[in-house]
Amino acid sequence: NIRDFGSGLQVEHEEILLYLALREAARIRLFARAPWLEDDLFNAVAQYAAGIHINMERIEEAAQSMDPSDPAAMEAVFGDGLFRQDRTPMQEAALRRIETTLALVEGWVDDVVAQAGAHLPSIEKLRETTNRRRATGGPAEDAFAALVGLELRPRRLRDAAALWAHLRETAGIEDRDDVWAHPDVQPEEQDLDD
């Protein structure tokens, strides 16, 4: 995965390794410093999952009309939203909460790594690569988006990174990090919109 990440970047392997290690260390530090965060994300996912209902009739109809010898037809049936359902307002709220929290986590990691890795000669190129890969996604992200409807919008991630950078510049690193002290002071969707 590290080799794939650095493919075509013309950046030293050690620098790529250090950059990715900084990202992981920042994430670990955040979740260690804010132990409520893991439970908060888990509860939001559980809230979303509580509203999932499987329409077995629709699946049976699709299975009966499917030709197993025709992969293209099978892909069309599965890609046609076979498992998609109408979301409840509670699920919509849970998805927004998950998206906002994940954007805040990634934005905070980005800001911390930008500061900690400022001495890396290719830090901006590595950050841009990370942002580009997030924006284009991959098969796992596409499947998750199709099944659940959660898409981490690049704009939302940029908004979160800008929020953390603003807090660091105006209040300092310690005050920026104190925002993670309790879920009641966690920035919300409206804070990212502002």
Side-chain angles (χ1 to χ4, degrees):
N1 288 338
I2 293 170
R3 246 182 260 113
D4 287 347
F5 178 85
S7 178
L9 286 181
Q10 298 174 343
V11 175
E12 293 291 322
H13 179 73
E14 290 77 20
E15 189 175 349
I16 294 169
L17 192 60
L18 183 55
Y19 171 78
L20 294 173
L22 283 171
R23 291 190 63 77
E24 282 304 306
R27 238 181 242 101
I28 290 167
R29 178 183 178 270
L30 175 59
F31 279 85
R33 182 174 176 144
W36 60 267
L37 186 56
E38 185 176 345
D39 287 339
D40 189 63
L41 278 168
F42 180 83
N43 290 336
V45 171
Q47 181 182 359
Y48 177 83
I52 293 176
H53 300 287
I54 298 173
N55 184 341
M56 291 305 291
E57 289 178 13
R58 187 171 176 202
I59 294 172
E60 287 172 5
E61 286 174 15
Q64 289 172 358
S65 68
M66 209 179 327
D67 179 6
S69 65
D70 184 2
M74 288 178 60
E75 185 176 322
V77 168
F78 285 109
D80 196 25
L82 177 63
F83 296 107
R84 187 168 290 152
Q85 62 168 354
D86 293 331
R87 289 191 290 265
T88 66
M90 185 188 306
Q91 286 179 306
E92 290 289 345
L95 278 179
R96 284 193 309 277
R97 188 167 131 214
I98 293 167
E99 180 186 27
T100 299
T101 303
L102 291 176
L104 288 168
V105 167
E106 286 302 305
W108 184 88
V109 166
D110 189 57
D111 188 57
V112 168
V113 170
Q115 297 302 298
H119 66 284
L120 296 174
S122 302
I123 186 71
E124 288 308 316
K125 184 186 274 190
L126 293 167
R127 287 179 72 198
E128 178 59 33
T129 299
T130 300
N131 291 336
R132 203 172 330 108
R133 290 188 184 211
R134 261 195 233 117
T136 58
E141 289 86 356
D142 293 343
F144 196 63
L147 290 173
V148 179
L150 175 67
E151 296 182 50
L152 290 176
R153 295 173 288 174
R155 187 182 137 257
R156 205 38 131 192
L157 295 167
R158 283 191 306 275
D159 292 344
L163 171 73
W164 295 119
H166 174 74
L167 288 172
R168 176 181 41 78
E169 291 165 2
T170 58
I173 291 173
E174 194 169 315
D175 284 350
R176 175 201 64 193
D177 292 352
D178 281 348
V179 173
W180 293 106
H182 193 274
D184 290 347
V185 293
Q186 176 185 353
E188 297 176 344
E189 212 176 345
Q190 298 80 7
D191 297 313
L192 294 181
D193 291 339
D194 184 359

